[in-house]
Amino acid sequence: MCGIVGMVAPPGGAPVEGQRVRTMAQAIVHRGPDDEGFHLTPRVGLGMRRLSIIDLSTGHQPIGNEDGNLQVVFNGEIYNYRSLREELLARGHQLRTASDTEVLVHLYEDLGDDLVTRLNGMFAFALWDERRRRLLLARDRMGEKPLYFTQLPDGTFLFASELKALVTHPRVERRLDLRALRKYLQYEFVPAPHTMLAGIFKLPPAHRLIVEGGAWRMERYWKLPDPGEPRLVTLAVAAEELRERLREAVRIRLIADVPLGILLSGGIDSSTVAALACAEAGQRVETFSIAFSEKSFDESAHARRVAAHLGTHHHEATVTEQEMLATVARIPALLDEPLGDASLIPTYLLSEFTRRHVTVALGGDGGDELLAGYPTYFAHRLAESYRRLPSWMRRGVIEPLVARLPVSTANLSFDFKAKRFVQGAALPLGMRHTVWMGSFTAPQQASLLLPEIAAMVPDEEVYDEIFPYDSPSPLDPVERMMRLDAGHYLSEGVLVKVDRASMAASLETRAPFLDHTLVEFLCSLPLSLKLRGSSGKVVLKEAMRNDLPASILARPKKGFGMPVAQWLQQGLRPLVRETLSPDRLRRQGLFSPSDVARLLVEHESGQADHRKLLWTLLMFELWPFAPR
């Protein structure tokens, strides 16, 4: 696991400045505190920071081929590298190390850019071909590892694992992208290829990028399988195959030359990973969780129950509200871009706690998006029935009653869910989903943004990722929203949160549910094996019914929630008032001071629950590059 950086000089342009590459690498030292390495020539500079996981003694990067004309820097893990290595040796390649990184240059010799199709793993890498004066960048299929890039006006091309490395270059502008700002306000994250800074981009998942002759081009090399006839299998047969595929995904992710553990929340996904790890490890497994004093947000009892059932060596840290509030001030150091997901805080605290004991941890990310685990999927079916009700009943009876529900600050309270439901139920499918999952709707943005700012970016540019999901399709609406979440919310929100939080603590995290062969299998199953009535993950529950307690399998989706609504009213009130003050907002020239003041007053007085809106604004204003 590493952080990578690099620079390519334009044809006939000024040579690469080695010190610039070294400075970029130093900005992401947290991603790799164990080692550093550079390949510096007048044409190209490659740099890396290494967190040693596999081949501790000879895995130093950059790594080249036999004659050194190919050089690679790599962030991530290739889980099938051993079989690939054996193939390469059989074809006559000479490999000097036992690392997964070295297989990349030799696969490139045989397959060129298509080497990515042979990789099972999480990765972002840069491979320089000296003979062709050509750079290849690639990112894993599901988006576990990040990669940013930009091109300067003189043609110099820069890339890095994190945006903060790019902005160390004095010629990289720190200019706000208003289109990205509007997307962030809606989704709570900035979807690739955009970033919050104009002219800087993210390589999307499952894409490669080629830099050659002073220009760059981007290509997709994989996508979720196209809709087709679902596999006609029984629940029992599908569950048996799912368990075997999950077992293999866990097995290959247990490969490491350093201590390894499991992040255990007590939900079915992380519990599944823990159970299969226990079956594969051949020794007592280390599991980790954190507990909260606020009971409606605390899952620690469930994690303890799973740990006791499996016989793991369980570690639990109790995190106080004061510790969590103190972490809010550290968020700017964790993130390149604003992220409106408050679960970043416990994810970071859990990562920090886990890193005291192990260097690698497996988690359950991806199960909800691939197996219909979110309550919103069932809510879409309710919405279709709701829309068929007479207008007088919806607008004259139900919606006024919902609006009068007393405001609660509890996690996923009934009033929060009911108000969110009626807010989006009448909208088209994709727009409805973004209202339920995101933050500021289009009308709310029209009120929040100053008129001259709102006029610069029309609504259709905000929702261009969503429009294809409102087009005619043979897929069930729920399946369409699962695909949207897998390629949008998961890759650009959830996995960004996990990567930044864990790497800030120098902890490598691995997600067995995101094994691309498993993803392809799950996409082939009919929706009826994932969602029945209001119950999701049907086939997973069947697959694990002999491995996990029935109480864990029957638990409803909880999530890694935080008492944000209460914090905004109490512990964070001084910070929020200062950060969102009218004077500051007037100087900034983006948001209406009066509209923000209204949100604050209504939330603090208990008239309304604006937790998502205010937290989204707070995270933007705490972002180090926000206009001041």
Side-chain angles (χ1 to χ4, degrees):
M1 183 62 64
C2 304
I4 63 174
V5 300
M7 182 183 304
V8 179
V16 165
E17 301 173 71
Q19 187 54 46
R20 296 289 184 207
V21 179
R22 294 181 185 277
T23 300
M24 290 166 64
Q26 186 60 33
I28 54 173
V29 66
H30 55 278
R31 296 190 74 92
D34 298 335
D35 188 19
E36 67 176 2
F38 300 93
H39 173 75
L40 301 172
T41 75
R43 291 192 183 96
V44 67
L46 305 178
M48 56 78 65
R49 294 293 318 190
R50 185 185 183 204
L51 178 63
S52 301
I53 304 294
I54 290 175
D55 189 16
L56 306 186
S57 58
T58 65
H60 179 78
Q61 296 184 39
I63 290 180
N65 61 343
E66 292 91 341
D67 62 10
N69 73 87
L70 301 177
Q71 295 287 330
V72 68
V73 285
F74 168 71
N75 170 29
E77 303 290 348
I78 306 300
Y79 301 120
N80 63 333
Y81 81 97
R82 289 176 174 170
S83 61
L84 292 173
R85 190 174 187 277
E86 291 303 314
E87 290 179 22
L88 291 165
L89 290 171
R91 291 201 295 270
H93 290 270
Q94 299 175 23
L95 282 77
R96 303 184 306 275
T97 76
S99 73
D100 55 348
T101 305
E102 191 176 9
V103 303
L104 299 176
V105 289
H106 296 283
L107 275 178
Y108 178 80
E109 288 179 313
D110 288 356
L111 302 175
D113 297 345
D114 286 339
L115 87 157
V116 291
T117 64
R118 295 295 314 280
L119 305 179
N120 184 340
M122 56 176 184
F123 55 83
F125 67 80
L127 191 153
W128 173 252
D129 186 332
E130 177 64 30
R131 288 178 181 150
R132 300 172 67 184
R133 300 182 185 181
R134 182 179 190 270
L135 180 74
L136 169 66
L137 302 178
R139 191 172 173 211
D140 65 72
R141 294 168 179 83
M142 298 303 292
E144 292 184 73
K145 294 292 103 184
L147 197 57
Y148 289 77
F149 66 93
T150 189
Q151 190 165 32
L152 301 179
D154 69 353
T156 300
F157 185 90
L158 307 173
F159 69 87
S161 292
E162 296 186 17
L163 183 148
K164 61 174 64 71
L166 294 181
V167 297
T168 64
H169 196 290
R171 286 185 287 150
V172 172
E173 291 189 64
R174 303 183 181 189
R175 180 167 49 89
L176 182 68
D177 186 327
L178 292 178
R179 184 183 183 190
L181 171 62
R182 289 211 58 191
K183 288 177 180 290
Y184 166 72
L185 292 173
Q186 172 61 68
Y187 304 127
E188 302 179 356
F189 54 81
V190 180
H194 310 285
T195 75
M196 197 65 90
L197 294 182
I200 300 179
F201 304 96
K202 294 189 284 269
L203 185 63
H207 279 69
R208 58 192 170 207
L209 184 147
I210 296 94
V211 182
E212 193 171 17
W216 59 268
R217 68 180 188 276
M218 193 161 57
E219 305 168 347
R220 176 184 283 275
Y221 66 86
W222 181 87
K223 63 179 181 179
L224 291 175
D226 289 329
E229 288 298 321
R231 294 178 55 177
L232 299 177
V233 294
T234 65
L235 176 60
V237 169
E240 183 178 359
E241 183 171 352
L242 172 58
R243 191 185 186 285
E244 179 58 28
R245 287 178 176 270
L246 267 171
R247 185 197 63 77
E248 176 62 13
V250 169
R251 184 191 69 79
I252 61 177
R253 283 162 180 78
L254 292 174
I255 298 171
D257 296 329
V258 294
L260 179 147
I262 310 295
L263 303 177
L264 183 60
S265 70
I268 184 174
D269 299 333
S270 65
S271 299
T272 292
V273 173
L276 296 176
C278 288
E280 290 295 322
Q283 60 187 18
R284 197 176 186 195
V285 169
E286 307 285 324
T287 53
F288 301 88
S289 67
I290 54 177
F292 308 118
S293 56
E294 170 56 59
K295 294 305 178 186
S296 72
F297 295 86
D298 185 46
E299 291 191 292
S300 59
H302 304 293
R304 288 194 297 272
R305 185 177 302 117
V306 173
H309 178 81
L310 298 176
T312 71
H313 183 202
H314 190 58
H315 307 259
E316 178 181 296
T318 300
V319 179
T320 66
E321 182 172 307
Q322 289 70 31
E323 288 176 293
M324 289 190 287
L325 292 177
T327 304
V328 174
R330 302 176 64 181
I331 285 178
L334 303 182
L335 293 177
D336 290 320
E337 301 179 83
L339 185 67
D341 186 348
S343 67
L344 171 73
I345 294 173
T347 303
Y348 170 69
L349 292 172
L350 175 58
S351 297
E352 194 176 48
F353 170 61
T354 303
R355 184 61 177 87
R356 297 173 199 165
H357 303 270
V358 300
T359 310
V360 178
L362 277 62
D365 294 307
D368 289 313
E369 294 82 2
L370 298 168
L371 284 156
Y374 291 127
T376 46
Y377 300 135
F378 174 63
H380 280 295
R381 291 186 167 170
L382 287 181
E384 294 304 316
S385 299
Y386 181 77
R387 293 175 69 176
R388 290 194 289 270
L389 293 175
S391 176
W392 66 265
M393 183 178 294
R394 286 187 282 112
R395 297 177 183 173
V397 180
I398 297 175
E399 292 175 17
L401 285 175
V402 168
R404 294 191 186 98
L405 288 172
V407 175
S408 169
T409 60
N411 186 27
L412 295 177
S413 60
F414 175 74
D415 73 290
F416 177 85
K417 292 187 288 186
K419 291 171 183 176
R420 207 79 181 169
F421 177 83
V422 299
Q423 187 180 25
L427 296 172
L429 178 65
M431 191 67 69
R432 177 201 307 161
H433 198 66
T434 64
V435 166
W436 287 346
M437 298 289 285
S439 191
F440 285 88
T441 63
Q444 288 171 329
Q445 288 195 40
S447 177
L448 171 73
L449 294 166
L450 295 176
E452 60 270 27
I453 299 298
M456 292 181 185
V457 184
D459 287 349
E460 56 266 24
E461 293 187 16
V462 180
Y463 303 105
D464 50 7
E465 295 92 356
I466 304 303
F467 292 146
Y469 293 90
D470 284 331
S471 303
S473 169
L475 282 178
D476 182 282
V478 171
E479 289 184 298
R480 292 159 73 184
M481 292 305 95
M482 289 170 61
R483 293 172 71 90
L484 171 61
D485 281 342
H488 194 241
Y489 173 68
L490 173 65
S491 62
E492 310 295 349
V494 174
L495 296 181
V496 170
K497 170 194 69 179
V498 173
D499 175 81
R500 302 307 189 278
S502 61
M503 292 311 297
S506 300
L507 175 75
E508 175 179 308
T509 54
R510 301 175 177 179
F513 279 97
L514 299 183
D515 185 295
H516 76 275
T517 63
L518 176 61
V519 171
E520 291 168 349
F521 166 71
L522 291 173
C523 287
S524 75
L525 296 179
L527 181 60
S528 61
L529 296 185
K530 303 167 192 174
L531 180 67
R532 289 185 179 176
S534 61
S535 180
K537 303 182 182 177
V538 174
V539 66
L540 179 61
K541 293 171 183 176
E542 177 66 18
M544 300 305 295
R545 65 187 178 90
N546 294 326
D547 300 270
L548 294 172
S551 60
I552 297 300
L553 298 176
R555 284 190 63 210
K557 174 66 181 174
K558 179 92 170 176
F560 218 169
M562 287 288 94
V564 170
Q566 183 178 326
W567 288 353
L568 294 169
Q569 292 173 336
Q570 300 172 16
L572 286 179
R573 185 169 180 171
L575 174 65
V576 174
R577 279 287 177 177
E578 177 185 357
T579 307
L580 301 181
S581 69
D583 286 346
R584 175 171 174 156
L585 296 178
R586 274 190 286 270
R587 289 194 304 270
Q588 188 182 64
L590 296 172
F591 307 126
S592 164
S594 60
D595 193 66
V596 175
R598 174 187 61 81
L599 294 175
L600 283 168
V601 168
E602 290 178 355
H603 185 84
E604 291 172 355
S605 66
Q607 298 174 55
D609 182 355
H610 294 315
R611 71 180 87 178
K612 289 175 75 70
L613 308 184
L614 291 171
W615 186 263
T616 298
L617 286 175
L618 179 64
M619 292 302 101
F620 174 77
E621 296 296 343
L622 290 177
W623 178 50
F625 309 124
R628 298 288 187 256

